[in-house]
Amino acid sequence: MLVRASSFTVDLGEGGYLIGFTDDYEYPKEMPFGWRCGPATDAGAVVLTTTDTGPLQLTVQVHNAPPTPETGAQWEPAEEISLQVDLPALYVATLEQGDILDAWPDDEPPLEFPSSSDGSDWVRMRLYCHADDPEPGIGDHGERHLVQLWPAPHTPPVHPDITEADRQARADYAADMAMPVEDYSTTYTDTYHGEQDGQ
């Protein structure tokens, strides 16, 4: 049975969004290329979008039992993962270029799950996605996501098969994330030793 629902627009950055029961945000060490979502931590997921830097209509539903699957051609096949409830409130954040920004609207009441004191609670997250324009790119693609959450023990995820290109993209991303920050920096030497004007 549906307990609570929230629907709002998220202004996406370049890397999709994070969703889950944690505010401990950092860039995921792995990206689920070939899937729509994958774990960022035990308590949070990263969701990849068709839209790059544009609006996304996000609807989040809380149920007290597994909801009936959505049918029809308006959604891509659903994916599911389990999330641990580290914090009672659901958080949403966008992955920007070099930054992670909280995306839960100020005027939308927090969506909360009761959690036990030992942090052993898990919920199931089912994700449905649709884009009017399925070709990835910048701007409004008429993209909307439906996230359904309900209490459930930790179980294996449900995802489509991935291609060799997806595996390579995952490996390339993981290698980039593993590279020390100093490897990205460049040192410049001042080679100008002339006198200043007017001296």
Side-chain angles (χ1 to χ4, degrees), residues 85-86 113-121:
V85 183
D86 279 357
F113 259 85
S115 60
S116 63
S117 58
D118 63 1
S120 61
D121 293 305

Side-chain angles (χ1 to χ4, degrees), residues 8 10-32 36-49 56 58 60 81 83 89-96 98-105 125 127 145 147 149 173 177:
F8 49 88
V10 176
D11 292 320
L12 295 168
E14 297 178 354
Y17 62 93
L18 298 172
I19 186 168
F21 297 92
T22 177
D23 59 358
D24 185 15
Y25 297 143
E26 62 180 43
Y27 273 84
K29 294 192 171 39
E30 298 180 356
M31 240 353 141
R36 278 299 199 159
C37 65
T41 65
D42 283 348
V46 58
V47 180
L48 301 181
T49 57
L56 166 80
L58 179 62
V60 182
I81 62 173
L83 297 175
L90 183 74
Y91 286 81
V92 176
T94 56
L95 293 169
E96 310 288 336
D99 203 0
I100 299 174
L101 302 177
D102 184 23
W104 192 270
M125 180 181 107
L127 173 68
H145 290 187
V147 174
L149 302 161
Y173 179 87
M177 291 301 291

Side-chain angles (χ1 to χ4, degrees), residues 3 34 62 69-70 98 101 106-107 109-111 129 156-157 164 167 183 194:
V3 175
V62 176
E70 300 287 326
L101 302 177
D106 292 336
D107 59 352
L111 194 154
C129 302
E164 192 55 44
R167 289 186 180 87
D183 288 357

Side-chain angles (χ1 to χ4, degrees), residues 73-173:
Q74 73 269 30
W75 298 112
E76 298 172 14
E79 296 184 34
E80 292 187 10
I81 62 173
S82 294
L83 297 175
Q84 192 168 28
V85 183
D86 279 357
L87 296 174
L90 183 74
Y91 286 81
V92 176
T94 56
L95 293 169
E96 310 288 336
Q97 182 66 35
D99 203 0
I100 299 174
L101 302 177
D102 184 23
W104 192 270
D106 292 336
D107 59 352
E108 189 71 21
L111 194 154
E112 296 189 345
F113 259 85
S115 60
S116 63
S117 58
D118 63 1
S120 61
D121 293 305
W122 290 84
V123 300
R124 193 68 169 170
M125 180 181 107
R126 181 184 294 157
L127 173 68
Y128 293 97
C129 302
H130 170 86
D132 293 339
D133 179 1
E135 190 65 31
I138 296 173
D140 188 349
H141 284 244
E143 188 164 5
R144 63 185 189 274
H145 290 187
L146 170 62
V147 174
Q148 296 175 325
L149 302 161
W150 66 93
H154 183 277
T155 52
V158 175
H159 295 296
D161 293 334
I162 63 171
T163 65
E164 192 55 44
D166 296 326
R167 289 186 180 87
Q168 186 60 52
R170 291 180 181 202
D172 292 345
Y173 179 87

